[in-house]
Amino acid sequence: VSSPTPERLATWRLFFESAWALLDVLDRELAAECSMPLRWYDVLVHLEEAPGERLRMGELGNQILSSKSGLTRVIDRMEEAGFVRRERAGGDRRVIEVVPTEAGVAALTAARPIHRRGIQEYFASHLDDRDVAAVSRALQKVHDEVRAAR
Amino acid sequence: VSSPTPERLATWRLFFESAWALLDVLDRELAAECSMPLRWYDVLVHLEEAPGERLRMGELGNQILSSKSGLTRVIDRMEEAGFVRRERAGGDRRVIEVVPTEAGVAALTAARPIHRRGIQEYFASHLDDRDVAAVSRALQKVHDEVRAAR
DNA sequence: AAAGATTGAGAGATCAATCTTG
DNA sequence: CAAGATTGATCTCTCAATCTTT
């Protein structure tokens, strides 16, 4: 386990700065045009994709990389905005499941084209087909390792 | 300006999730082992690279992508920790320049191997030479565009 | 008035401690 | 006691308003 080569350090820095700037720009865009932080969008997408369109607090926290307590506040605010509901699961009464409301689904539907436009403008439009394949291949390994490390 | 292709959306998601997880892991690592947030590290690196090892508040804020007020607080804390000093520039007395102290330089020197080990472990070691070239090529365009968009 | 930086108020995140159920 | 979730204290970030200097 040594230090990265200079080329790899330069690549890291490009990745780091691009990522920081992209998250910043896309979050502002979504906040300005949809009154929705990127985190809420992320929550709604994960709920949409979950079997039964519902996830336990703990599972949702793992997926969106939020601390347990952080997620509690996020869901508090989303519930207050009318985008999700908390439901007690059937068997185990310690478990809370988060479910999107109709308003939440509608908000995601409205936000999606805005967000995708931003992804296209700031990210996707600058990658040709070779770039897409290469970046995917490279980041797949990084993604798996870093998510496992938590 | 249309919507990204499915392959590009998948690549974006890989990028988004990897970046979020990497920033989280590396920030925790640095905080745990060096008592220094990633932001401080970033500030110290930018100061080290600046001509004269000093930057105005405004310029530093642009480089590390912090809001003006956000940077004021960051520098408050770093100054309190003894890592940087504020100095009034010669000519224009509205300008404040930020300069690293000896303790700040030492802290960066101590943190660098730790941080680079993390970069190696979670990012660089998973990229072969082809990946490095491809990712750099792809992200260079993204980086330039998104930084210009601010 | 404009530029550079700071301040006050409020939102968002985390850790450790706590409550509830198993 | 352990697991799931919330709460309290605290820290960081951002926006809008303010202060100082040009």
Side-chain angles (χ1 to χ4, degrees):
Chain A
V1 179
S2 57
S3 189
T5 63
E7 299 78 35
R8 281 171 173 73
L9 272 181
T11 303
W12 161 253
R13 184 140 171 189
L14 213 49
F15 182 87
F16 170 70
E17 294 185 352
S18 302
W20 196 302
L22 278 165
L23 294 176
D24 189 52
V25 165
L26 294 177
D27 186 41
R28 283 169 193 275
E29 207 172 73
L30 217 49
E33 297 186 43
C34 308
S35 304
M36 182 191 293
L38 191 49
R39 231 196 216 302
W40 290 19
Y41 186 91
D42 202 24
V43 166
L44 289 170
V45 167
H46 280 277
L47 290 177
E48 178 186 51
E49 294 175 348
E53 307 221 345
R54 60 184 55 234
L55 284 169
R56 303 165 158 223
M57 291 293 287
E59 190 50 36
L60 183 55
N62 285 341
Q63 294 193 15
I64 69 168
L65 295 188
S66 167
S67 67
K68 288 196 164 302
S69 54
L71 183 63
T72 293
R73 327 276 195 189
V74 170
I75 297 303
D76 285 348
R77 294 187 291 266
M78 290 185 73
E79 198 166 28
E80 201 171 352
F83 287 177
V84 297
R85 252 191 347 261
R86 282 172 161 99
E87 287 186 7
R88 291 217 169 268
D92 189 335
R93 297 218 358 234
R94 291 171 303 183
V95 172
I96 299 278
E97 289 183 336
V98 184
V99 189
T101 61
E102 291 208 12
V105 172
L108 178 59
T109 301
R112 188 154 13 219
I114 308 294
H115 186 48
R116 289 192 172 175
R117 172 169 56 64
I119 294 171
Q120 172 70 10
E121 177 173 359
Y122 296 112
F123 182 79
S125 69
H126 305 297
L127 308 184
D128 62 29
D129 289 340
R130 266 186 24 221
D131 292 331
V132 170
V135 171
S136 294
R137 191 180 91 86
L139 289 188
Q140 189 65 59
K141 294 173 264 178
V142 172
H143 181 269
D144 294 346
E145 289 293 328
V146 71
R147 304 277 301 203
R150 297 173 28 104
Chain B
V1 179
S2 57
S3 190
T5 63
E7 299 79 35
R8 281 171 172 72
L9 272 180
T11 303
W12 161 253
R13 184 140 173 188
L14 213 48
F15 182 88
F16 171 71
E17 294 186 352
S18 302
W20 197 301
L22 278 165
L23 294 175
D24 189 52
V25 165
L26 294 177
D27 186 42
R28 284 169 192 276
E29 207 172 72
L30 217 49
E33 297 185 42
C34 309
S35 305
M36 181 191 294
L38 191 49
R39 235 205 213 297
W40 291 19
Y41 186 91
D42 202 24
V43 166
L44 290 170
V45 167
H46 280 276
L47 291 178
E48 177 186 52
E49 295 175 348
E53 306 221 347
R54 61 184 54 235
L55 283 170
R56 302 165 160 225
M57 291 292 288
E59 191 49 36
L60 184 55
N62 285 341
Q63 294 194 16
I64 69 168
L65 295 188
S66 168
S67 66
K68 287 193 166 304
S69 55
L71 182 63
T72 293
R73 328 277 193 187
V74 170
I75 297 303
D76 284 349
R77 296 187 290 266
M78 290 183 74
E79 197 166 28
E80 202 171 352
F83 287 179
V84 296
R85 253 191 346 262
R86 283 173 161 97
E87 287 185 6
R88 290 216 171 269
D92 190 334
R93 297 214 0 229
R94 290 170 303 181
V95 172
I96 299 277
E97 289 182 336
V98 184
V99 188
T101 62
E102 290 208 15
V105 173
L108 177 58
T109 302
R112 188 152 17 215
I114 308 294
H115 186 49
R116 289 192 173 174
R117 172 169 57 64
I119 293 170
Q120 172 69 9
E121 177 173 357
Y122 297 113
F123 182 78
S125 69
H126 305 298
L127 308 184
D128 63 28
D129 290 339
R130 266 184 28 223
D131 291 331
V132 170
V135 171
S136 295
R137 192 179 90 88
L139 289 188
Q140 188 65 60
K141 294 172 265 179
V142 172
H143 180 268
D144 294 348
E145 290 293 329
V146 71
R147 304 276 300 204
R150 299 174 26 103

